[in-house]
Amino acid sequence: MKDTLINQASPGINKCQQCCIRELVLFADLQQDDFKLLHQPICNIEIKAGDTLYREKSAANFVYTIRSGMIKLVRYLPNGNYRIIRLLHPGDLAGIEALHGLAYLHHAIALKNTEICQIPIADIEQLIRKSPNLYKQLTARWQKIQSDADIWLAELTVGSSKKRVANLLLYLDAQNTNESFYLPAREDLGALLAITTETASRVIAEFKRQGLLQTQQHSAQIDKVKLEQYI
Amino acid sequence: MKDTLINQASPGINKCQQCCIRELVLFADLQQDDFKLLHQPICNIEIKAGDTLYREKSAANFVYTIRSGMIKLVRYLPNGNYRIIRLLHPGDLAGIEALHGLAYLHHAIALKNTEICQIPIADIEQLIRKSPNLYKQLTARWQKIQSDADIWLAELTVGSSKKRVANLLLYLDAQNTNESFYLPAREDLGALLAITTETASRVIAEFKRQGLLQTQQHSAQIDKVKLEQYI
DNA sequence: CGGACGTTTGAGGAACATCAAAGCCTGTGG
DNA sequence: CCACAGGCTTTGATGTTCCTCAAACGTCCG
C-alpha cells in the first residue's frame, strides 16, 4: 500500500457560506453570524489516490469534511494485515474523534483523488457553545456512524463471500447518484469484507461473467435486481 | 429465545444525586441545580434474564443507564438468524439513538438480571441546553460506542474461531472487576462472533479441556496469559 | 417421570484460505 | 517504438476450517 502523507502546502481558504455541498456538511445549519466565530481559516485541500490524510494515534487537531472523492479508514492488525473499518463519502466527517482531544483512531487514506475541508477543532468547540444547531448536526453524525457500523457488523461480515460482495456492491451503488460507482481494488474489498484478496477476485470475476457487473478501470455498474438475489 | 417484554409496573423513583454508580453514569457532571430541571421521575427498574427492554423499530422515548447486570443489543437477519451487535455493561447507555427522535435500532435483551435507570429524552434535551457538561458526557458515549464497534469489526469478526473466542473471553474478563465473569450461552457466543453454535461449543469445550477456562453455570474464569497466545 | 432446553460430539461435505504461477495493464527507460 | 519491470488481477491445485445435519447427553422444572 502506498503511504504518502499529504503535502499541506498551498491550501485554499474556503468560503463555507458559498460551499457547493453546503446542505450536506457539518455547518449546514449555521447562520450568517455564526461564521464570525471562526478564527482560523477553513482550508480546502486536495489529496491524491493513495495519500494518507492522517495516521492512527497521531495528534488529532482537525476534523475533516469530504467534499468529493472517497476515503478509507484503516486499522492494522497485529499480524500485519489490515481491515477497512469504514468508507467515507462526500458530506461525511473524518476524524470526528478529534472532538474529544484524543488521537485519531484510524489511518485515513484516499481511495481516489479527494477534496476535503480541514476544520480546526478549537473553532468547533467554540461554535458548539453558541449554536445548538451545530450540536444537533454533530450528534446526527455520531448516530449515522453508529448505525452504519451496526449494519456493517450485521450484514457485511457474515454469510458467504458472494453474499458479502453482493451486499457491498449494492451499498457502493446506493452511495452514488451516478449510474456507475468506484470499485475498490480486490485487496481492499477483502479488507472490507474479511475475506482474502483471491476470494474477492474470484467472486468479482464470477459476477462479471454472469453479467451482473461491468467494469472499466475502477468504474463499475451493476444489475441491482439480479444481485439482490444473492442476499 | 425467550421474548418477554418487561413489566414496567412499580418502578422505584431514583435519586440520581445519591446513585451508587454516579461517577459512571451520564449525569456524573451535573450540578445540584441541574437536577431541578428534571420534570419527570427517573425510574429505577429491574428486569430478569431473557426479558426484552425495548424492541427494534419501536418508538424511542427513553434512554437507559445500566446500573448492574448485562444487556445484549440484537438485530435479526432476513434469514431468521440473529446477530448480537453489542454488549452493554454497568455505566453504559442503552437506546442513545432515542436522542434523535428515531425508533430504536436494536432489540435490547437482558442476559442476566439487570437494574436500569429509565431517563425520559425530553428531560435530557432540556438539560443539554443548560449544561455543557452533559453534552460532553454524551459525545463521550458516542465516541466509546464508535471505538468499541471499530474494535469489534477489526478483532472479533476475523481470524479463526479459536482466536475469536479467545478475544471475546479476554474482553469479557476485562469488563469485570471480579475475578470471574458472565459467560453467555453458546448460541449467543455464536451470534457475537459470527460462528455457529456448534463451533462455539467445540472451542469452549476445547479451552476447558486445556485448562484455559473454568466454568460454573454461567460464571467463568480464564488463564489470561495462555489465552493471549491464541490471538 | 418426562419433556424442554442447552451442550457436546461425530461424520460428511462445502466453502474458503493458502500457496503458487501466469496473465494483464501501465509507466518508464533504453 | 519496443522492452521490461512492477503492481494488480486471475486462475489453479491443495488442504484446512468450519458449517450442516444428526444424535446423544446432561440438567432443570413442571
Side-chain angles (χ1 to χ4, degrees):
Chain A
M1 221 165 47
K2 277 182 273 178
D3 192 7
T4 317
L5 200 57
I6 54 164
N7 172 12
Q8 298 197 356
S10 71
I13 294 178
N14 195 31
K15 298 213 169 71
C16 296
Q17 288 107 317
Q18 293 146 31
C19 177
C20 60
I21 58 163
R22 172 132 192 238
E23 71 283 357
L24 278 179
V25 300
L26 190 61
F27 292 161
D29 294 335
L30 290 195
Q31 306 302 315
Q32 196 75 4
D33 283 353
D34 296 330
F35 285 103
K36 293 180 188 159
L37 293 167
L38 293 174
H39 289 100
Q40 297 177 59
I42 307 284
C43 293
N44 183 13
I45 53 188
E46 244 186 280
I47 63 181
K48 285 182 299 186
D51 286 351
T52 297
L53 180 58
Y54 56 77
R55 293 189 205 283
E56 186 181 348
K57 292 180 188 159
S58 65
N61 301 315
F62 300 99
V63 166
Y64 300 91
T65 293
I66 317 298
R67 291 165 49 84
S68 71
M70 201 167 171
I71 297 275
K72 62 178 174 183
L73 298 185
V74 171
R75 174 166 292 188
Y76 283 88
L77 303 178
N79 63 17
N81 288 343
Y82 68 95
R83 281 218 62 191
I84 297 179
I85 302 297
R86 212 178 350 275
L87 293 176
L88 302 182
H89 300 276
D92 286 342
L93 283 188
I96 195 173
E97 60 267 35
L99 292 181
H100 267 264
L102 301 170
Y104 291 117
L105 294 172
H106 322 92
H107 300 269
I109 301 171
L111 285 179
K112 46 183 180 177
N113 293 347
T114 296
E115 288 177 294
I116 48 184
C117 290
Q118 184 185 49
I119 310 170
I121 56 164
D123 279 347
I124 294 196
E125 281 167 353
Q126 189 147 34
L127 274 170
I128 285 171
R129 283 185 217 108
K130 310 280 179 176
S131 164
N133 291 327
L134 182 59
Y135 159 75
K136 287 201 170 181
Q137 279 285 332
L138 277 172
T139 56
R141 303 306 167 112
W142 284 115
Q143 163 114 5
K144 180 174 185 303
I145 289 171
Q146 182 200 328
S147 63
D148 282 358
D150 290 351
I151 292 168
W152 215 265
L153 267 174
E155 304 283 345
L156 289 185
T157 61
V158 288
S160 71
S161 56
K162 283 187 188 178
K163 173 183 169 296
R164 294 190 208 188
V165 174
N167 252 319
L168 180 62
L169 294 176
L170 289 165
Y171 164 81
L172 290 170
D173 185 57
Q175 291 293 318
N176 265 36
T177 48
N178 303 336
E179 73 278 2
S180 72
F181 59 89
Y182 176 87
L183 181 67
R186 306 293 177 273
E187 186 182 14
D188 281 346
L189 293 177
L192 277 160
L193 301 174
I195 58 180
T196 59
T197 306
E198 294 93 329
T199 300
S201 172
R202 276 184 246 266
V203 174
I204 290 289
E206 170 81 13
F207 283 172
K208 282 201 242 175
R209 277 189 290 265
Q210 295 181 3
L212 309 181
L213 171 69
Q214 293 89 40
T215 62
Q216 273 188 333
Q217 313 281 50
H218 277 182
S219 168
Q221 286 182 263
I222 57 172
D223 183 332
K224 284 191 219 180
V225 180
K226 287 185 187 164
L227 266 184
E228 276 162 2
Q229 294 172 1
Y230 276 100
I231 297 179
Chain B
M1 225 164 45
K2 276 184 273 179
D3 191 9
T4 318
L5 201 56
I6 55 165
N7 172 10
Q8 298 198 354
S10 69
I13 293 177
N14 195 32
K15 297 211 169 72
C16 296
Q17 289 107 318
Q18 292 145 33
C19 176
C20 60
I21 59 164
R22 174 135 187 235
E23 72 283 356
L24 278 180
V25 300
L26 190 62
F27 292 163
D29 295 333
L30 290 194
Q31 305 302 315
Q32 197 75 6
D33 284 353
D34 296 328
F35 286 103
K36 292 179 186 158
L37 294 168
L38 293 173
H39 290 101
Q40 296 176 62
I42 307 283
C43 294
N44 183 11
I45 54 188
E46 245 187 279
I47 63 180
K48 285 182 297 184
D51 285 351
T52 296
L53 179 58
Y54 56 78
R55 295 190 205 282
E56 186 181 346
K57 292 178 186 161
S58 65
N61 299 316
F62 300 98
V63 166
Y64 300 91
T65 294
I66 317 298
R67 292 166 49 81
S68 70
M70 201 165 170
I71 298 275
K72 62 178 174 183
L73 297 185
V74 171
R75 173 166 294 187
Y76 283 87
L77 301 179
N79 63 14
N81 288 344
Y82 68 96
R83 280 218 62 191
I84 297 179
I85 303 297
R86 209 174 0 269
L87 293 176
L88 301 181
H89 301 276
D92 287 341
L93 283 187
I96 195 173
E97 60 266 35
L99 292 182
H100 267 263
L102 303 170
Y104 291 116
L105 294 171
H106 321 93
H107 301 270
I109 301 172
L111 285 178
K112 47 184 181 177
N113 293 347
T114 295
E115 288 178 293
I116 48 184
C117 290
Q118 185 185 51
I119 310 171
I121 57 164
D123 279 347
I124 293 197
E125 281 168 352
Q126 188 146 36
L127 274 170
I128 285 171
R129 280 183 220 110
K130 309 280 179 177
S131 164
N133 292 326
L134 181 60
Y135 158 74
K136 287 202 168 182
Q137 280 286 332
L138 276 173
T139 55
R141 304 306 169 114
W142 284 116
Q143 162 116 6
K144 182 175 182 303
I145 289 171
Q146 183 202 327
S147 63
D148 282 359
D150 291 350
I151 292 169
W152 216 264
L153 267 174
E155 304 283 346
L156 289 183
T157 61
V158 286
S160 70
S161 55
K162 282 186 187 176
K163 173 185 170 294
R164 295 190 207 189
V165 174
N167 251 321
L168 180 61
L169 294 176
L170 288 164
Y171 164 82
L172 290 169
D173 185 57
Q175 291 293 318
N176 265 36
T177 48
N178 304 335
E179 71 281 1
S180 73
F181 59 90
Y182 177 86
L183 181 68
R186 305 294 177 269
E187 186 182 15
D188 281 345
L189 293 178
L192 278 160
L193 301 174
I195 59 180
T196 58
T197 307
E198 294 93 327
T199 300
S201 172
R202 277 184 245 268
V203 175
I204 290 289
E206 169 82 12
F207 282 171
K208 283 202 241 175
R209 277 189 289 266
Q210 294 182 4
L212 309 182
L213 171 69
Q214 292 89 42
T215 61
Q216 273 188 333
Q217 311 282 50
H218 277 183
S219 168
Q221 285 182 261
I222 56 171
D223 183 331
K224 284 190 219 179
V225 181
K226 287 184 187 167
L227 266 184
E228 277 163 2
Q229 295 171 1
Y230 277 101
I231 298 178

